[in-house]
Amino acid sequence: MIQLRCSTCQQLYPADTRAFRCNCGGTFELVGLPAFDRRAIDPAGPGLWRYRQFLPGNRHWAEVTLGEGWTPLVLTDLLGQAVHCKMEFLSPTGSFKDRGTAVTVAMLKELGIDAVVEDSSGNAAASLAAYGARAGIRVRLYVPAHASPAKLRQIAVYGAELVPVDGPRSQAALAAWQAAATTYYASHYFNPFNLAGLRTLAFEIVEQLGWRSPDHLILPVGHGTLLLGAYQGFVELRQAGVIEHLPRFFAVQALACAPVFAAWSRALDQVAEITPGTTVAEGIAIAAPVRGAALLAVLRASGGMVVTVDEDEIRWGQAALARQGLYVEPTSAVVAAAVRKLDRVIAPGDLTVVVLTGSGLKSERV
Amino acid sequence: MIQLRCSTCQQLYPADTRAFRCNCGGTFELVGLPAFDRRAIDPAGPGLWRYRQFLPGNRHWAEVTLGEGWTPLVLTDLLGQAVHCKMEFLSPTGSFKDRGTAVTVAMLKELGIDAVVEDSSGNAAASLAAYGARAGIRVRLYVPAHASPAKLRQIAVYGAELVPVDGPRSQAALAAWQAAATTYYASHYFNPFNLAGLRTLAFEIVEQLGWRSPDHLILPVGHGTLLLGAYQGFVELRQAGVIEHLPRFFAVQALACAPVFAAWSRALDQVAEITPGTTVAEGIAIAAPVRGAALLAVLRASGGMVVTVDEDEIRWGQAALARQGLYVEPTSAVVAAAVRKLDRVIAPGDLTVVVLTGSGLKSERV
């Protein structure tokens, strides 16, 4: 039986709780998911639903799916490094968020929930708006008023209710938390069903590499849900005996907003809120990640680290990827800049995977 | 051995000819491709390269691929009709053109060609720019100066040389034809390698439906390369005994620019150039399709027809799809409007596939 467990005080909650975090303030994790088993994969299951045996909400996938998951893994050259690019920007709404959203919304169907709120800088909002439309669930979204017009347009077109909130990203979050008192809060960073969906990134990468684990996994980190979800997936693969080692996790942050780096570089166990600067990597401009301690633990356990990139490097990374035919948004381009910085960490012949999280068609200009 | 054959006078040309059409003015088709055979499919081949045994240029696919093909087929409800949506807008550059471009560029590698020209209203140009960047082939593009800014931006970011041409779409074509005298013309509508790649749409739809053929296939038609490529694929599937019947092909055109409809409604065998009006469906605003006679023949042979939709209907179609979580450009939305018009042709229980050709993130606004 699936339950929610507080990662701080270990208290258990039922799967249909309306609480979005523990009374003690801790974040939820999911317990009771079936163990990974290669024999339980359904090769005929579309997209990430080939792994539906390990996913919550799987009785409702057909009413919810927009074709998410099983994105291509393309081997290309980046500065003389052979790098596998996980093409998450080809997801149904143009970002990796669709993995988590599809699973969350499938679970909402199972729980009989027909209206939700959420806050997002853009991609998560667009994703939830789309899946809400698909599944017949009303969605109200609190978004920063300064978010990319292309993203706001995309959200509006799906028919979600849009509430622009002035001020920094955190103000939109606060508005959603207040609304969550009376409505289900389908938060992409609090909700553990979202993390359960993001595990499939690990399953896919390993399966697409012929059941090998990468040596290095490089991905953008704001709240770090992608990193945490993927890590959980790799741990399950190792527990199942499918892989022998985990990849080293490299979390890439924009220098202008790098709370995880600030904690990492001082060898802290917790991530403190910072005063954010401005960055084109708006999707990871998160001043206070809600699972900071867990992020630091993953980086430490996997032998990875935090890499920061400045605005020029992000622009350079976006152009470098485009010159390989890969048009991603600045938030995603941070990984290309990180590859350049990691040239002494990545040895020739290493198996390196970068996650290209969001589409360049969403960004206003290069 | 693969050769080019004139569809008018039957003259044969070698695969590496620099001519883009026959001396008689006829268009080329490809002869000598291997026959379809289910046993020759490689399920481990990424994207459309699972069918690489039937594709030209297949020795170079790994240097060229951006993950094109094997797009999701999503069953959804459209006005009470159960419709399978082929999600071509999730292709690497956001449109179905990537199928044809990937195969064309793989063939360019085989022929040792390192510079090309092309003309396009946007999607084909973006696609060729991306694959040219990926494969190290210089690309010069003649585009209408009035094309969508988002599309022009996308083309530029890949590093292609962009030549805006004032006047109607046909002026850009004329400029490219002139340039073709001295450079290889990688035309998405003349080049038969492009059509060879588009055949994979049929292979995928039939495989994804469990080796069944749809009853109805509804798709936007400008030059009609997608329709012709898909038709060729279905014919091959029938010849191989994989399917028993072909789908009925429904070609959707914008009322403001509907030369195929004009010919169809007068039962002509040829499509004459028309004076185009303005339409938001810019990707199919083609006043003089170069393979008009072939289009009419397919519609007739398959028991299909041409459907026209006006600007209001296109807007309606775009909104209707978005309210199902599917954000496509106006050019693609014409199929939703057509489904509504075909409510007396499509019977309940029929197997209907609509092709969603291009991403809504490319269009300026809804």
Side-chain angles (χ1 to χ4, degrees):
Chain A
M1 189 181 64
I2 293 174
Q3 289 179 291
L4 275 52
R5 186 175 62 194
C6 173
S7 53
T8 303
C9 76
Q10 314 300 316
Q11 193 186 328
L12 289 171
Y13 289 71
D16 64 351
T17 179
R18 260 54 172 176
F20 68 89
R21 55 182 167 183
C22 182
N23 291 329
C24 84
T27 52
F28 286 139
E29 57 192 14
L30 225 49
V31 292
L33 287 172
F36 187 88
D37 180 347
R38 272 180 65 174
R39 292 163 301 184
I41 297 171
D42 173 13
L48 60 80
W49 298 103
R50 67 195 286 113
Y51 307 112
R52 66 178 174 276
Q53 288 303 323
F54 324 118
L55 294 173
N58 58 18
R59 287 197 296 277
H60 294 269
W61 74 268
E63 306 150 52
V64 167
T65 187
L66 292 169
E68 58 287 341
W70 206 249
T71 53
L73 187 69
V74 172
L75 180 61
T76 187
D77 180 274
L78 213 57
L79 303 158
Q81 293 278 8
V83 172
H84 294 269
C85 297
K86 184 63 173 163
M87 307 277 274
E88 290 293 284
F89 68 101
L90 304 183
S91 299
T93 75
S95 90
F96 78 95
K97 305 280 186 188
D98 293 340
R99 286 183 191 278
T101 309
V103 170
T104 299
V105 172
M107 195 63 195
L108 293 177
K109 295 297 278 185
E110 190 159 320
L111 299 175
I113 291 165
D114 62 3
V116 299
V117 296
E118 157 73 309
D119 58 286
S120 157
S121 65
N123 281 336
S127 182
L128 187 60
Y131 284 85
R134 164 75 162 141
I137 291 171
R138 272 180 301 129
V139 175
R140 192 195 313 149
L141 293 159
Y142 297 89
V143 298
H146 59 78
S148 143
K151 285 185 182 175
L152 294 181
R153 197 158 58 234
Q154 184 191 6
I155 298 165
V157 80
Y158 294 124
E161 183 189 350
L162 209 53
V163 185
V165 180
D166 286 328
R169 170 75 181 77
S170 53
Q171 287 304 109
L174 205 60
W177 299 2
Q178 284 161 354
T182 53
T183 325
Y184 190 91
Y185 180 30
S187 170
H188 65 285
Y189 52 100
F190 275 114
N191 195 297
F193 301 123
N194 180 60
L195 287 172
L198 294 172
R199 289 147 68 229
T200 58
L201 184 82
F203 303 161
E204 288 184 16
I205 288 172
V206 167
E207 184 168 355
Q208 289 173 321
L209 288 174
W211 299 108
R212 289 180 301 165
S213 186
D215 298 306
H216 312 290
L217 182 66
I218 305 174
L219 64 194
V221 165
H223 275 297
T225 51
L226 183 60
L227 184 149
L228 293 173
Y231 182 75
Q232 191 182 328
F234 279 107
V235 167
E236 290 173 53
L237 291 168
R238 189 176 57 181
Q239 283 169 347
V242 173
I243 57 172
E244 289 182 2
H245 70 91
L246 305 188
R248 298 172 71 177
F249 280 74
F250 295 92
V252 192
Q253 296 216 291
L255 189 59
C257 186
V260 184
F261 178 76
W264 175 262
S265 61
R266 281 177 284 164
L268 303 179
D269 290 331
Q270 299 284 337
V271 175
E273 181 163 4
I274 58 145
T275 306
T278 303
T279 173
V280 290
E282 60 177 20
I284 51 173
I286 304 294
V290 297
R291 292 173 209 269
L295 286 174
L296 294 169
V298 166
L299 295 172
R300 214 156 271 147
S302 77
M305 61 187 285
V306 187
V307 182
T308 57
V309 294
D310 68 26
E311 299 302 294
D312 282 347
E313 290 169 324
I314 296 171
R315 293 297 187 194
W316 173 89
Q318 192 179 24
L321 287 167
R323 297 308 160 97
Q324 293 292 328
L326 304 165
Y327 185 28
V328 300
E329 63 178 331
T331 301
S332 311
V334 300
V335 299
V339 166
R340 183 161 70 164
K341 290 200 152 174
L342 290 169
D343 61 346
R344 294 185 187 170
V345 175
I346 302 173
D350 283 358
L351 205 51
T352 303
V353 173
V354 302
V355 186
L356 300 181
T357 50
S359 171
L361 296 173
K362 292 191 176 215
S363 56
E364 287 311 285
R365 57 188 64 261
V366 177
Chain B
M1 190 181 64
I2 293 173
Q3 288 180 293
L4 276 53
R5 185 175 61 194
C6 173
S7 53
T8 304
C9 76
Q10 314 299 318
Q11 192 185 328
L12 289 171
Y13 288 71
D16 65 350
T17 179
R18 262 52 171 178
F20 69 88
R21 55 182 167 184
C22 181
N23 291 329
C24 84
T27 52
F28 287 138
E29 57 194 15
L30 225 49
V31 293
L33 288 172
F36 187 88
D37 180 347
R38 271 180 66 173
R39 292 163 302 183
I41 297 172
D42 173 13
L48 60 80
W49 299 103
R50 67 196 285 113
Y51 307 112
R52 65 177 174 277
Q53 288 303 324
F54 325 118
L55 293 173
N58 59 17
R59 286 196 297 276
H60 295 269
W61 74 268
E63 306 150 52
V64 167
T65 188
L66 292 171
E68 58 287 341
W70 205 250
T71 53
L73 187 69
V74 172
L75 179 61
T76 187
D77 179 273
L78 213 56
L79 303 158
Q81 292 279 8
V83 172
H84 294 269
C85 297
K86 184 63 173 163
M87 307 276 275
E88 291 294 283
F89 68 101
L90 304 182
S91 299
T93 74
S95 89
F96 79 94
K97 305 280 187 189
D98 292 340
R99 285 183 191 278
T101 308
V103 170
T104 299
V105 172
M107 195 64 194
L108 294 176
K109 294 297 279 184
E110 189 159 320
L111 299 175
I113 291 165
D114 62 3
V116 299
V117 295
E118 158 73 309
D119 59 286
S120 157
S121 66
N123 281 336
S127 182
L128 187 61
Y131 284 87
R134 164 76 163 141
I137 290 170
R138 272 180 301 129
V139 175
R140 193 194 312 149
L141 293 159
Y142 298 88
V143 298
H146 59 78
S148 144
K151 285 184 182 176
L152 294 180
R153 197 159 57 234
Q154 184 190 8
I155 298 165
V157 80
Y158 294 124
E161 184 188 349
L162 209 53
V163 185
V165 181
D166 286 329
R169 170 74 182 78
S170 53
Q171 287 303 111
L174 205 60
W177 299 3
Q178 283 161 355
T182 54
T183 324
Y184 190 91
Y185 181 30
S187 170
H188 65 285
Y189 52 100
F190 275 114
N191 195 297
F193 301 123
N194 180 59
L195 287 171
L198 293 173
R199 290 146 69 229
T200 57
L201 184 82
F203 303 161
E204 288 184 15
I205 288 172
V206 168
E207 185 168 354
Q208 289 173 320
L209 288 174
W211 300 108
R212 289 180 300 165
S213 187
D215 298 305
H216 313 290
L217 182 66
I218 305 175
L219 65 194
V221 164
H223 276 297
T225 52
L226 182 61
L227 184 149
L228 293 173
Y231 182 76
Q232 191 182 327
F234 279 106
V235 168
E236 290 173 54
L237 291 168
R238 189 176 56 183
Q239 282 168 348
V242 172
I243 56 173
E244 289 182 3
H245 71 91
L246 304 188
R248 298 172 71 176
F249 280 74
F250 295 91
V252 191
Q253 297 215 289
L255 189 60
C257 185
V260 183
F261 178 75
W264 175 262
S265 60
R266 281 176 285 164
L268 303 180
D269 289 331
Q270 300 284 337
V271 175
E273 181 163 4
I274 59 145
T275 306
T278 304
T279 173
V280 289
E282 60 177 20
I284 50 172
I286 304 294
V290 298
R291 291 184 161 84
L295 286 174
L296 295 169
V298 166
L299 295 172
R300 214 156 271 146
S302 77
M305 61 187 286
V306 188
V307 182
T308 57
V309 292
D310 68 26
E311 299 302 294
D312 283 346
E313 289 169 325
I314 296 171
R315 293 296 186 193
W316 173 88
Q318 193 179 25
L321 287 167
R323 298 306 161 99
Q324 292 292 328
L326 305 164
Y327 185 29
V328 301
E329 63 178 331
T331 301
S332 310
V334 300
V335 299
V339 166
R340 184 162 68 164
K341 290 200 152 175
L342 289 169
D343 60 347
R344 294 185 188 171
V345 176
I346 302 173
D350 283 358
L351 204 51
T352 303
V353 173
V354 302
V355 186
L356 300 181
T357 51
S359 171
L361 296 173
K362 293 190 175 216
S363 57
E364 289 310 285
R365 57 188 65 260
V366 178

